[in-house]
Amino acid sequence: MSVPLIAIRNEGYAHLLANYLTSQHMPAHVAPYSEDGEYLVVLEQEAHLANARNICEEFVRQPQHPKYQQAAWENGERVNLHPSKASNLNLSSLLAWAKDAPFTATILAVCTLVYVLSVLGFFSSVGHLLKMEPFAQLGQNHEYWRLITPAFLHFSAVHFIFNVLWWSMLGAQIERKLGMSMLMVLFVVSALCSNVAQAIVSGPAFGGLSGVVYAVLGFVWWTGWLKPAWGLFIPRSIVGFMLVWLVLGYADVLWVSMANTAHTVGLISGCAMAALLVLGSNRKKSP
């Protein structure tokens, strides 16, 4: 049975709250409420009323927190709160998001800087510092950072945008829910595993954050499935899309060359780390 939750004068804020409630497994929708321009957020299941009210109280105190825009993004909606102040709001939201998820923002900034330098004609110089090298050569020069840094290299605008968008969305969710340390470990382990595996299969000529992106995808997917109380969530449609994209890469029907091994190993490493984390937390709670 649906139940009215809160009336909000700004339609954009009403949709932000409804999307966030839905992302927390409390489905909600927005309906017109009065001729004065108020909108009603309606909770679709009365059983969630107590938890939903707590979220409403938090939302009223800080409606511009970036996690609400994040939920709208994950649900496929772009909510414009104040059209006349869009540029100022976007800047303030971006700064708030970066403060809320500093490691996610740092990796995004590094990838962006490397890509901009590449576009400006410095790709060979940047690549010389970051690209993978044959293992025998790494054993001689001890430049072991190259096992991770190929993740920062991107070869096209589509490649760059695809990766940083998914990283920004999923990485920030993990960092907010489980902390910076967890995301840092996930980044290092998945970048290391996916890069090493891809180098073994195809040699050192590759790059991109895709292996890490598939790792954070797998981590959010499995953690949300095994431990929904932790609040990590990704729509099944997005998981399905990414898995189909993975299969298409192996089918070699796409217009780009895919680092298929890095994608697969990244996904496996993210799922495995989620399973280990959940099992470890369950073991600590058992008597």
Side-chain angles (χ1 to χ4, degrees):
M1 176 180 176
S2 61
V3 56
L5 190 60
I6 187 175
I8 299 177
R9 186 171 296 276
N10 185 299
E11 184 180 8
Y13 281 118
H15 281 286
L16 279 185
L17 177 57
N19 275 294
Y20 184 74
L21 287 166
T22 300
S23 75
Q24 300 302 301
H25 310 289
M26 291 176 268
H29 65 272
V30 176
Y33 180 57
S34 72
E35 295 180 357
D36 296 332
E38 288 186 317
Y39 295 86
L40 189 65
V41 178
V42 180
L43 191 65
E44 296 178 6
Q45 298 176 14
E46 190 175 2
H48 299 308
L49 185 58
N51 290 334
R53 282 176 173 168
N54 292 333
I55 290 176
C56 283
E57 292 176 3
E58 183 182 356
F59 179 81
V60 169
R61 289 194 298 269
Q62 198 177 8
Q64 293 189 14
H65 193 285
K67 67 183 179 182
Y68 302 117
Q69 285 281 6
Q70 178 91 9
W73 184 16
E74 291 169 2
N75 201 39
E77 292 192 19
R78 184 178 182 274
V79 178
N80 194 356
L81 304 179
H82 302 288
S84 62
K85 300 178 181 178
S87 60
N88 291 336
L89 180 61
N90 289 340
L91 178 59
S92 63
S93 297
L94 180 61
L95 293 175
W97 174 84
K99 184 178 180 181
D100 196 50
F103 183 71
T104 306
T106 298
I107 298 301
L108 172 63
V110 173
C111 288
T112 302
L113 176 62
V114 170
Y115 183 70
V116 169
L117 289 174
S118 300
V119 170
L120 293 176
F122 299 99
F123 182 81
S124 60
S125 300
V126 173
H128 179 73
L129 293 173
L130 303 180
K131 68 180 182 180
M132 177 67 85
E133 291 181 345
F135 295 123
Q137 190 170 339
L138 288 177
Q140 294 176 354
N141 60 27
H142 307 297
E143 295 178 352
Y144 297 116
W145 69 79
R146 297 180 185 275
L147 297 173
I148 293 176
T149 53
F152 301 128
L153 291 170
H154 292 90
F155 306 113
S156 70
V158 173
H159 189 209
F160 167 73
I161 293 171
F162 182 89
N163 281 340
V164 297
L165 282 177
W166 286 115
W167 164 258
S168 299
M169 181 176 70
L170 298 173
Q173 188 180 164
I174 295 169
E175 188 168 5
R176 285 199 307 266
K177 298 292 186 180
L178 301 180
M180 182 190 299
S181 297
M182 184 68 249
L183 184 60
M184 290 177 67
V185 171
L186 180 59
F187 173 83
V188 172
V189 170
S190 61
L192 184 63
C193 291
S194 59
N195 287 340
V196 168
Q198 187 66 46
I200 291 173
V201 171
S202 67
F206 65 90
L209 198 63
S210 304
V212 175
V213 164
Y214 269 94
V216 293
L217 169 79
F219 186 89
V220 172
W221 174 28
W222 274 45
T223 304
W225 170 46
L226 296 172
K227 202 78 169 180
W230 286 356
L232 292 176
F233 171 76
I234 185 169
R236 291 181 180 178
S237 58
I238 292 180
V239 175
F241 166 77
M242 294 294 278
L243 293 180
V244 168
W245 189 259
L246 181 65
V247 172
L248 290 176
Y250 277 104
D252 199 23
V253 296
L254 298 172
W255 65 94
V256 292
S257 178
M258 304 280 282
N260 297 314
T261 303
H263 297 175
T264 304
V265 172
L267 179 64
I268 293 171
S269 65
C271 294
M273 290 184 69
L276 290 173
L277 185 65
V278 171
L279 289 174
S281 70
N282 291 340
R283 191 169 296 176
K284 286 181 180 178
K285 291 182 179 179
S286 60

